[in-house]
Amino acid sequence: MLLTIDCGNTNTVFSLWDGETIVQTWRTSTDHRRTADQYYVWLSTLMQVRKISADVRNVVISSTVPRVVFNLRVLCDRYFDCRPLVVGKPECRLPVPPRVEEGVRPGPDRLANAAGAFQRHGGDVVVVDFGTATNFDVVASDGAYVGGVIAPGVNLSLEALHQGAAALPHVDISRPERVIGTNTVACIQSGVFWGYTGLIEGITQRIKAEYGRPMKVIGTGGLAALFAQAGDLFDEIEDDLTMYGLRVIHDYNLAIAQ
């Protein structure tokens, strides 16, 4: 089986694949202090709970937190007896190299999004990925990542608002029933939900205008389904796009190695 690992600034996601099918996905908070042994105890316990007997033969990792990669490498070596493929490293080949400014290294999660989006939808795609940051990834007609936009993430903005304004509480994001709030929590929820709705609409429209040809918009990440309630922001919602892209990159490297 293949284990795909996407390590973000807030959470790390593990997905177990049997061929082209995801068997199970687990999520844990990202912590560079977590050891390989701790990862294995956590992961193996969850497998036992789900009654999954997995023989992990290959691992592919995407990480925006470099300090975490070392312990994930040790996990693979010690418990899975394999050398992981790490997106962004020279030994990891991409189906189509990114076309960005010389010396720029796009985030590995953005490269995985591009690979997954192209495999499923072809080119001319904007991927809106809701994470610690809200990323807009532009995928060209040949599948190359060609740039994008980075905006503050929704939860990051909520936390900053709470910390920067002593009188304002921390609230959970949800779609408010009305735009005009009649209490503090409703006002904040409306500002964040409709504010980010406008941000998504505005940025995707400007990307399309600058790109100069029709584009499909794909939403992914934890809050994509919530913001899809605002209207026609996305053509598709795909929760597993990053993990699927990691599988695509792994399969490509496996094919060229044979």
Side-chain angles (χ1 to χ4, degrees):
M1 287 189 178
L2 171 67
L3 181 64
T4 57
I5 304 174
D6 177 39
C7 176
N9 290 291
T10 304
N11 292 315
T12 299
V13 182
F14 294 72
S15 286
L16 189 64
W17 293 79
D18 185 3
E20 298 183 358
T21 303
I22 288 184
V23 176
Q24 190 68 46
T25 295
W26 299 280
R27 185 181 301 265
T28 186
S29 58
T30 298
D31 184 352
H32 70 273
R33 297 168 298 179
R34 186 172 285 121
T35 67
D37 300 328
Q38 288 174 317
Y39 276 120
Y40 182 73
V41 169
W42 171 79
L43 193 58
S44 60
T45 300
L46 289 172
M47 288 183 182
Q48 290 175 8
V49 168
R50 300 294 296 178
K51 295 181 172 57
I52 296 172
S53 178
D55 183 14
V56 176
R57 297 292 183 90
N58 296 285
V59 180
V60 57
I61 299 170
S62 161
S63 178
T64 57
V65 187
R67 288 193 293 176
V68 173
V69 175
F70 174 78
N71 283 321
L72 292 175
R73 285 185 181 273
V74 175
L75 168 72
C76 298
D77 178 66
R78 182 176 297 168
Y79 292 105
F80 303 136
D81 193 27
C82 72
R83 179 183 177 86
L85 187 67
V86 181
V87 179
K89 297 298 183 182
E91 64 272 16
C92 178
R93 304 284 295 276
L94 298 172
V96 183
R99 290 196 296 274
V100 292
E101 293 182 14
E102 186 175 354
V104 172
R105 299 176 62 182
D109 53 334
R110 309 186 83 172
L111 298 175
N113 284 343
F118 181 70
Q119 187 75 10
R120 282 180 170 169
H121 303 284
D124 301 332
V125 172
V126 182
V127 177
V128 183
D129 189 353
F130 294 86
T132 305
T134 301
N135 292 332
F136 297 74
D137 305 322
V138 180
V139 186
S141 58
D142 63 348
Y145 169 82
V146 294
V149 176
I150 300 176
V154 177
N155 288 315
L156 189 65
S157 296
L158 279 168
E159 187 63 29
L161 185 64
H162 171 59
Q163 291 184 358
L168 297 181
H170 179 78
V171 302
D172 294 325
I173 181 64
S174 64
R175 179 180 177 175
E177 294 183 4
R178 302 173 44 141
V179 176
I180 301 173
T182 55
N183 59 68
T184 301
V185 170
C187 289
I188 295 173
Q189 288 177 332
S190 181
V192 172
F193 182 84
W194 294 113
Y196 269 88
T197 296
L199 180 145
I200 296 162
E201 287 177 329
I203 290 179
T204 53
Q205 287 173 5
R206 288 178 180 271
I207 288 174
K208 290 178 180 180
E210 186 171 286
Y211 195 74
R213 58 195 298 174
M215 304 184 79
K216 181 177 284 189
V217 181
I218 308 299
T220 191
L223 294 175
L226 172 64
F227 281 94
Q229 298 175 17
D232 298 326
L233 295 180
F234 312 113
D235 296 294
E236 300 281 351
I237 298 291
E238 297 190 7
D239 292 335
D240 67 338
L241 184 64
T242 307
M243 309 309 282
Y244 175 71
L246 289 175
R247 204 208 85 201
V248 170
I249 292 173
H250 167 268
D251 291 351
Y252 176 77
N253 280 264
L254 187 64
I256 63 177
Q258 294 176 345

